[in-house]
């Protein structure tokens, strides 16, 4: 059987690497393990994103990070669940920004995707929207459905009202030109800047970033309540803190 890359080469597909952020410790969930190892309907959270990647022929490589001390556990689980896409494991940095900067150095393709394991409800279609978009730098987003106020610095006063029609809630996955993202991280390092996500980083570097409407189901699992919500959306509630 031909390797995945050889099969795609015969089809003329554009290959992309996927950076899967998986290095958080999940303190807000209150578990005795990293959040991405908590089980939703019996399956570790981070496995859902890898299963989606396995269904997308354009994804030729997944760069997966892990919290310090948890590499063997992550490797064993990817084997147990028979993940087929080639994996590169990278130890997580101390911040999300540092983690991406470390992982992007392992990207082997001209275009790449960034996703986070804490969004287990992202679908193949979510990724396809980005892959098929003609622009290089694109993020999924959601509208802001509530009023957003600006505080007055150094006080307990409201300092202004923001127009929510002009605001976007960033949602992953995202797609970037690999060269653009590497350049943006290099510039941030030179300027001593740290960003909480990469669409803002790339925009701040001077590149154009486009957006697409994402799905309200593709929410981030941050708290224990989010775990229950994800189980409900997926169609069942089971034990989530116990090993099989």
């Amino acid at each position: 059987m031909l390797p995945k890359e050889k099969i795609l080469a015969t089809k003329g597909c554009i290959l992309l690497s996927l950076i899967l952020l998986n290095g958080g410790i999940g303190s807000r969930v209150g578990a005795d393990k990293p959040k991405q190892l908590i089980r939703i309907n019996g399956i570790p959270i981070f496995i859902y994103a890898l299963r989606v990647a396995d269904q997308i022929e354009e994804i030729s490589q997944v760069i997966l990070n892990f919290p310090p001390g948890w590499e063997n556990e992550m490797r064993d689980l990817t084997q147990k669940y028979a993940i087929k896409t080639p994996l590169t494991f990278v130890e997580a940095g101390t911040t999300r920004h540092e983690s991406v900067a470390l992982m992007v150095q392992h990207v082997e393709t001209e275009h790449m995707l960034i996703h986070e394991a804490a969004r287990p409800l992202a679908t193949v279609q979510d990724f396809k929207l980005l892959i098929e978009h003609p622009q290089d730098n694109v993020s999924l987003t959601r509208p802001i459905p509530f009023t957003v106020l600006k505080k007055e610095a150094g006080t307990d006063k409201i300092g202004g009202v923001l127009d929510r029609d002009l605001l976007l809630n960033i949602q992953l996955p995202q797609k970037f030109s690999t060269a653009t993202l590497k350049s943006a991280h290099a510039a941030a390092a030179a300027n001593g800047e740290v960003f909480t996500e990469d669409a803002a980083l790339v925009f701040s570097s001077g590149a154009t970033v486009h957006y697409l409407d994402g799905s309200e189901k593709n929410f981030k699992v941050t708290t224990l309540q989010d775990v229950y919500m994800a189980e409900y959306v997926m169609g069942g509630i089971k034990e989530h803190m116990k090993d099989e």
Side-chain angles (χ1 to χ4, degrees):
M1 187 175 187
L2 287 173
K4 188 176 184 180
E5 292 82 358
K6 294 289 183 64
I7 295 172
L8 289 171
T10 64
K11 294 181 179 180
C13 292
I14 297 175
L15 301 182
L16 300 96
S17 299
L18 168 64
I19 282 179
L20 183 60
L21 290 160
N22 183 61
I25 58 174
S27 57
R28 282 175 285 183
V29 175
D32 60 352
K33 63 183 75 175
K35 171 177 62 182
Q36 53 273 33
L37 291 177
I38 290 174
R39 294 173 184 271
I40 293 180
N41 292 338
I43 299 172
I45 289 176
F46 83 106
I47 293 296
Y48 285 97
L50 293 175
R51 284 182 164 179
V52 169
D54 270 355
Q55 298 176 61
I56 300 172
E57 60 183 8
E58 291 92 344
I59 296 178
S60 60
Q61 170 199 24
V62 175
I63 302 152
L64 179 72
N65 71 345
F66 56 87
W70 289 91
E71 179 178 3
N72 290 338
E73 180 83 4
M74 298 293 179
R75 286 184 179 273
D76 289 347
L77 285 167
T78 59
Q79 292 176 7
K80 176 180 178 180
Y81 286 93
I83 300 304
K84 300 178 179 63
T85 307
L87 301 176
T88 300
F89 289 84
V90 179
E91 185 169 307
T94 56
T95 64
R96 183 194 187 283
H97 179 102
E98 182 183 352
S99 288
V100 176
L102 292 169
M103 296 166 80
V104 74
Q105 303 308 316
H106 296 270
V107 171
E108 299 173 350
T109 56
E110 293 184 4
H111 297 84
M112 51 162 296
L113 300 158
I114 296 181
H115 190 46
E116 51 195 349
R119 292 183 185 269
L121 287 98
T123 65
V124 170
Q125 180 60 24
D126 291 328
F127 282 89
K128 287 287 191 178
L129 285 172
L130 294 171
I131 292 170
E132 294 170 2
H133 195 283
Q135 301 297 329
D136 286 341
N137 307 310
V138 193
S139 179
L140 294 182
T141 64
R142 292 292 299 163
I144 304 290
F146 45 79
T147 299
V148 181
L149 301 178
K150 182 179 180 181
K151 67 180 181 180
E152 186 176 295
T155 75
D156 61 353
K157 300 176 183 178
I158 292 173
V161 180
L162 301 179
D163 184 353
R164 67 184 183 189
D165 290 338
L166 300 178
L167 302 177
L168 294 170
N169 183 8
I170 287 293
Q171 188 181 73
L172 272 66
Q174 300 168 327
K175 180 181 76 171
F176 298 107
S177 155
T178 303
T180 299
L181 186 63
K182 285 183 175 180
S183 176
H185 271 281
N191 296 328
E193 297 175 313
V194 174
F195 290 80
T196 57
E197 63 80 43
D198 291 273
L201 165 69
V202 170
F203 171 79
S204 296
S205 74
T208 300
V209 181
H210 299 262
Y211 72 91
L212 289 167
D213 292 333
S215 167
E216 63 181 7
K217 291 183 179 180
N218 180 21
F219 60 86
K220 185 174 181 178
V221 174
T222 302
T223 66
L224 186 56
Q225 179 178 338
D226 295 332
V227 173
Y228 290 128
M229 287 181 62
E231 288 177 330
Y232 178 78
V233 173
M234 289 180 182
I237 297 178
K238 299 181 181 180
E239 296 282 354
H240 57 274
M241 294 292 190
K242 297 179 181 178
D243 292 330
E244 290 181 342

